[in-house]
Amino acid sequence: MNDPNNYPTYSQPTVKAAENFLKSIVPYYESVIVITVSKKMSGTFETIANAAKNIDSVGEKITVIDSKLNSGGQGPVVLKAAQEIDKGKELKEIKKTIYDTIENTKIFVSVDTLKYMVSSGRTKKHTGFAAKILNLKPVVSIDRSGEGIVIGKSLCLKANTKRIEALMKEISDRKKIVSYSIVHADAINRANEYEQIFTSLIGRRPEYITEISSIVAMNAGMGCVAIALVTD
């Protein structure tokens, strides 16, 4: 997977494909909410939004929301939306909760190299160049606009873990962490290490630990691990 000479590629779904999918589910629901990866990182939001507009021009039945997050950060947002739906909340209330959860969600990603994020446009080229030259192991997050940013660089992954632990402690000292989750790309040992560290720090186990999708793994690189948290 990390072989630069034989690295997989992917393509954006077409508006027509998205439209066909939405048409297959819309008739069975009173309303549909689509929560996409950050539009700063992917064209998915625009694709889905255009498909939704073709089907529902006035926007009464399909709501498309830019999560301003990626896979690991989207998970807690989608989970919260599902919980609100299960409670029988009105659409307006559910949408407000989704937007509030997006604002209160952060993600910290420990990666071995930035080259895959840079090549996919997930973060800016100059930060990748600096990390590559110095052979540093970056900690990546997402800013309020939904763009990938480097918030720390270490000489080794162990130091990265310490950096993320310090960030989590700083947040937990100021706010209540109501939930968190751990995702990884073929790095279950690192994910289990994170579970031990943050269960002790936060006082609760993660909502879940799971592997990220192949597309996200391609952009972040194999061996990465991330923690996403939601504050009150």
Side-chain angles (χ1 to χ4, degrees):
M1 181 119 182
N2 283 331
D3 180 4
N5 297 317
N6 190 29
Y7 203 70
T9 59
Y10 60 92
S11 61
Q12 184 72 36
T14 64
V15 172
K16 186 63 177 177
E19 190 175 324
N20 288 340
F21 173 73
L22 289 173
K23 283 180 178 179
S24 74
I25 62 172
V26 164
Y28 302 99
Y29 299 94
E30 292 182 8
S31 57
V32 173
I33 301 173
V34 183
I35 303 171
T36 76
V37 66
S38 170
K39 66 181 180 181
K40 291 289 185 71
M41 298 182 181
S42 168
T44 303
F45 174 84
E46 294 297 338
T47 297
I48 299 294
N50 288 332
K53 187 175 181 180
N54 290 341
I55 299 169
D56 178 26
S57 60
V58 294
E60 291 183 344
K61 194 160 187 178
I62 306 173
T63 302
V64 185
I65 297 175
D66 174 13
S67 73
K68 299 182 182 179
L69 296 160
N70 66 355
S71 177
Q74 278 177 274
V77 177
V78 173
L79 178 60
K80 186 64 177 178
Q83 290 169 342
E84 294 295 284
I85 292 169
D86 283 344
K87 291 176 183 177
K89 297 289 187 67
E90 296 291 329
L91 179 61
K92 184 177 179 179
E93 294 178 276
I94 295 169
K95 288 164 63 174
K96 182 182 184 307
T97 297
I98 290 171
Y99 286 116
D100 288 345
T101 304
I102 289 170
E103 288 297 311
N104 292 328
T105 299
K106 291 184 178 295
I107 184 169
F108 303 121
V109 189
S110 171
V111 298
D112 188 54
T113 174
L114 270 178
K115 67 180 178 180
Y116 302 112
M117 286 189 172
V118 170
S119 63
S120 65
R122 259 41 177 191
T123 191
K124 295 178 180 178
K125 290 186 178 181
H126 68 271
T127 58
F129 178 76
K132 182 178 180 181
I133 292 297
L134 298 175
N135 195 31
L136 297 176
K137 312 300 182 185
V139 176
V140 178
S141 189
I142 300 174
D143 65 19
R144 290 295 184 185
S145 72
E147 187 165 58
I149 55 172
V150 175
I151 58 172
K153 304 183 187 76
S154 304
L155 293 173
C156 63
L157 293 177
K158 184 176 180 179
N160 257 8
T161 300
K162 290 290 185 183
R163 170 65 173 162
I164 293 175
E165 186 177 357
L167 288 167
M168 292 289 286
K169 186 177 187 309
E170 179 185 340
I171 292 171
S172 66
D173 286 343
R174 294 184 290 106
K175 299 180 178 180
K176 180 182 178 182
I177 298 176
V178 295
S179 68
Y180 72 102
S181 57
I182 298 168
V183 298
H184 66 94
D186 195 27
I188 188 61
N189 290 337
R190 293 192 70 202
N192 288 338
E193 178 189 6
Y194 272 45
E195 179 183 22
Q196 292 180 350
I197 291 170
F198 296 112
T199 296
S200 176
L201 176 65
I202 299 170
R204 63 197 302 174
R205 294 170 63 86
E207 296 292 320
Y208 54 85
I209 298 176
T210 188
E211 284 195 284
I212 56 179
S213 71
S214 56
I215 296 297
V216 180
M218 285 168 56
N219 292 323
M222 297 299 284
C224 71
V225 63
I227 182 165
L229 66 142
V230 182
T231 56
D232 203 351

